[in-house]
Amino acid sequence: MTKTRFPAWRTMTPRAHPRWWQLGFATFAVVAILILFPGENAALPTIRTMGVIGYAVAAAVALGCAAALPKPGARRLLIGFHLAFVPMQFLFAFPNPVPNLGMALSVVILVGLRPRFSKLSPRSRKIWLVLHIGVSVGWLGLSLGMLTLALVGLFAGTHVVRHGAYEIFHIFDLVIVIPSVVLTIVTGLVLSLGTPWGLAKHRWVLTKFLISLSIPAAAAVESRWVTELVARTEDPAARPGALGVALVVTVGGFTISLWGATILSVLKPWGRTRWGRDRDSAPAIAVTVADRRQVANDTVALTLAPVGNHDLPTWEPGAHVDLILPSGSIRQYSLCGDPAETRYYRLTVLRDAAGRGGSGEVHALRTGIQVKIRGPRNHFPIVDAPAYLLVAGGIGITPFLPMLPRLAATGSPWRLIYRGRSLDHMAYAEQLAAAHPAQVSLYPADTCRRPDLAELVRGLPAGVAVYCCGPAELVDAMTEVMRKECPQGTLHVERFAATTRTGESRPFDAELRRSGRTVRVPANGTLLAAIHEVSPGVPASCVTGVCGSCRTTVLAGVPDHRDDVLQSHERDRADVIYPCVSRANGDKLVLDL
């Protein structure tokens, strides 16, 4: 067990001691078997038997994986098993509440294992989102209906109405509640783990998940109460009494919790959890140059493999990493391999004779040399759109390489315009043209005129997503053309270098809410420098507003965005700031630091 595979206990986490957590869960499973074992006159014997079998399997899996860890296969099996076992334990809790503790243990183990899931494609995300919203809306209506029935049963003046209300409630409980709870939890898990929100990165997501787990825990108790009330009210003279009041309070709590979860989904309040912030400021990852090859004149492709037997973090098309070179220089390069492959990363780098020397150092790297990376981060993701136009200039082709298979797989209409100095300087040009002859257009400058950008965007459908990556001249021209010729579309750009920034720089205060400190940012200083005087651990890389590594959550105040990370349609955001270059529109900002 190494430090790199399992971080120190102070970072939170069951991942630090995974074997002990599995041994603990196996012990709990044995106890649950003894408690659930069906005896004479035991309630719900069929569910008890299912619970005994389920926990027997759980004990075997936990013990087997505890012995096999830290092998990646054992970790993946544990993640899949606990994901499936969370909703199953909800069912097991109906005869006895002890499995609720098992649900909590499974969730803690899952969070600690930090599962990495491939992000959902736009189409899959829509499908799961529709399912989740549909089931959740049904839950809201169902909770109101059940609360009404509980109130009718408590206050009805006639035996027929009272008994009938509890009987209908009982039918709802058996036929609708169980599958809807399971579907709500499963679809919510898929969405959280298959999207950038994550399960434990944002407080509002984690709160929603805890609400979804608390409801079935209480439902297991409520189910027994309503069963007893149905039997009790068969007697015309019987009254619900305190049990009827408890049922109203419990179902009322359901309803309030569900509406609270709905409000959280809309407002997305608070900031990130400690775990989410830890991920953003994760330590550098040691990698080895496993392969190096020339892919065009002055352009090399590097394959980076992790040092040690572990996977690299998952990523989505458009993402980049910080490459920490042997000299200590840090440069940002787009990932251009297969996002489904987590055993290596691929970067493609152009030697820039007029640059700061980083690309020359990359070209000097040889197979077997060890370097470090941070990330990945993605400020250039594929968004949902009816059509896509991709415009690349030179080495700006790299973020588009993993996008094309994703777009082709979804069936979305797309077109790539690729401009370069000459074909022998345009990396991957011939392969792209051969793979997608009807959609890829090459414009080598030595044989072709510059593409007419205005003609390209004129007449594009409403909602089209236009992506541009390349030299500043190309990005600036594309920005102007989109403003004039294609206001119905959305432009997404990624720049090689920072733009020239203008605007008055006035002093302001920045309150660091979690540390309880307030710093003064002078007119001639940066917000990042002021933060580092109090909290030097805030990550930063390029410090020019391009890489996005210093992203910070804003809790109050209005940021003056001067970065090149946010897109033009995001410049009014008040929830985030890149403090290396951005400032405040006003006298004060409150930051989640």
Side-chain angles (χ1 to χ4, degrees), residues 406-430:
R406 180 69 59 85
L407 294 177
T410 61
S412 304
W414 62 272
R415 185 182 179 191
L416 171 67
I417 306 300
Y418 185 6
R419 174 75 166 173
R421 189 191 314 175
S422 62
L423 274 178
D424 58 356
H425 282 85
M426 297 168 66
Y428 310 107
E430 294 180 353

Side-chain angles (χ1 to χ4, degrees), residues 143-155 162-173 177 218-230 232-233 240-255:
S143 67
L144 289 171
M146 293 172 71
L147 179 58
T148 302
L149 289 170
L151 288 168
V152 169
L154 182 62
F155 295 110
R162 182 165 53 249
H163 183 64
Y166 288 128
E167 281 192 318
I168 296 172
F169 191 116
H170 188 50
I171 293 172
F172 277 8
D173 213 31
V177 170
V221 177
E222 162 265 308
S223 180
R224 290 193 294 274
W225 291 349
V226 75
T227 301
E228 183 177 339
L229 285 167
V230 169
R232 179 185 297 182
T233 55
L243 199 58
V245 174
L247 183 65
V248 169
V249 172
T250 302
V251 180
F254 286 179
T255 307

Side-chain angles (χ1 to χ4, degrees), residues 478-500:
M478 199 74 215
T479 302
E480 184 65 17
V481 164
M482 284 293 291
R483 185 180 65 82
K484 292 180 177 179
E485 305 289 345
C486 190
Q488 74 275 17
T490 304
L491 177 63
H492 306 261
V493 303
E494 186 163 71
R495 294 179 179 270
F496 296 158
T499 56
T500 302

Side-chain angles (χ1 to χ4, degrees), residues 169-462:
F169 191 116
H170 188 50
I171 293 172
F172 277 8
D173 213 31
L174 294 177
V175 177
I176 303 177
V177 170
I178 294 175
S180 63
V181 168
V182 172
L183 283 173
T184 300
I185 294 174
V186 170
T187 55
L189 275 174
V190 171
L191 282 172
S192 62
L193 296 173
T195 64
W197 291 119
L199 181 61
K201 291 172 65 175
H202 299 265
R203 288 193 180 99
W204 69 273
V205 177
L206 186 57
T207 303
K208 276 189 61 178
F209 187 61
L210 292 175
I211 288 173
S212 71
L213 292 181
S214 68
I215 290 175
V221 177
E222 162 265 308
S223 180
R224 290 193 294 274
W225 291 349
V226 75
T227 301
E228 183 177 339
L229 285 167
V230 169
R232 179 185 297 182
T233 55
E234 285 182 349
D235 180 0
R239 292 291 183 271
L243 199 58
V245 174
L247 183 65
V248 169
V249 172
T250 302
V251 180
F254 286 179
T255 307
I256 294 171
S257 298
L258 289 168
W259 278 105
T262 302
I263 293 170
L264 290 174
S265 297
V266 174
L267 298 182
K268 300 178 176 60
W270 315 313
R272 291 190 171 223
T273 64
R274 179 176 126 204
W275 309 306
R277 292 189 296 269
D278 286 346
R279 291 186 182 189
D280 284 346
S281 57
I285 303 170
V287 293
T288 300
V289 179
D291 185 59
R292 178 191 184 279
R293 63 184 62 189
Q294 194 91 10
V295 291
N297 282 355
D298 294 326
T299 306
V300 297
L302 301 181
T303 299
L304 306 178
V307 175
N309 184 26
H310 60 88
D311 291 342
L312 292 167
T314 56
W315 58 282
E316 286 293 290
H320 69 270
V321 294
D322 294 337
L323 180 62
I324 305 172
L325 296 166
S327 67
S329 298
I330 302 175
R331 297 294 184 269
Q332 290 74 42
Y333 297 109
S334 295
L335 293 169
C336 57
D338 180 2
E341 177 55 66
T342 58
R343 292 299 301 169
Y344 63 81
Y345 284 163
R346 181 165 291 147
L347 312 177
T348 302
V349 182
L350 169 71
R351 185 199 301 272
D352 184 0
R356 296 174 292 162
S359 63
E361 189 174 355
V362 172
H363 276 244
L365 296 176
R366 293 293 178 260
T367 302
I369 289 179
Q370 184 172 310
V371 292
K372 292 183 177 181
I373 57 173
R374 286 198 189 98
R377 292 186 298 275
N378 197 346
H379 308 297
F380 201 50
I382 301 174
V383 299
D384 293 339
Y388 300 84
L389 173 65
L390 316 177
V391 181
I395 199 62
I397 190 63
T398 52
F400 296 135
L401 296 175
M403 289 187 184
L404 301 187
R406 180 69 59 85
L407 294 177
T410 61
S412 304
W414 62 272
R415 185 182 179 191
L416 171 67
I417 306 300
Y418 185 6
R419 174 75 166 173
R421 189 191 314 175
S422 62
L423 274 178
D424 58 356
H425 282 85
M426 297 168 66
Y428 310 107
E430 294 180 353
Q431 298 96 309
L432 291 172
H436 310 283
Q439 293 153 301
V440 175
S441 300
L442 305 179
Y443 288 85
D446 59 344
T447 60
C448 296
R449 292 185 310 164
R450 182 177 299 171
D452 187 340
L453 299 180
E455 183 63 29
L456 287 172
V457 303
R458 194 178 294 126
L460 289 176

Side-chain angles (χ1 to χ4, degrees), residues 24-42:
F25 191 82
T27 301
F28 169 80
V30 172
V31 173
I33 289 172
L34 297 175
I35 292 173
L36 291 175
F37 202 86
E40 291 187 15
N41 302 319

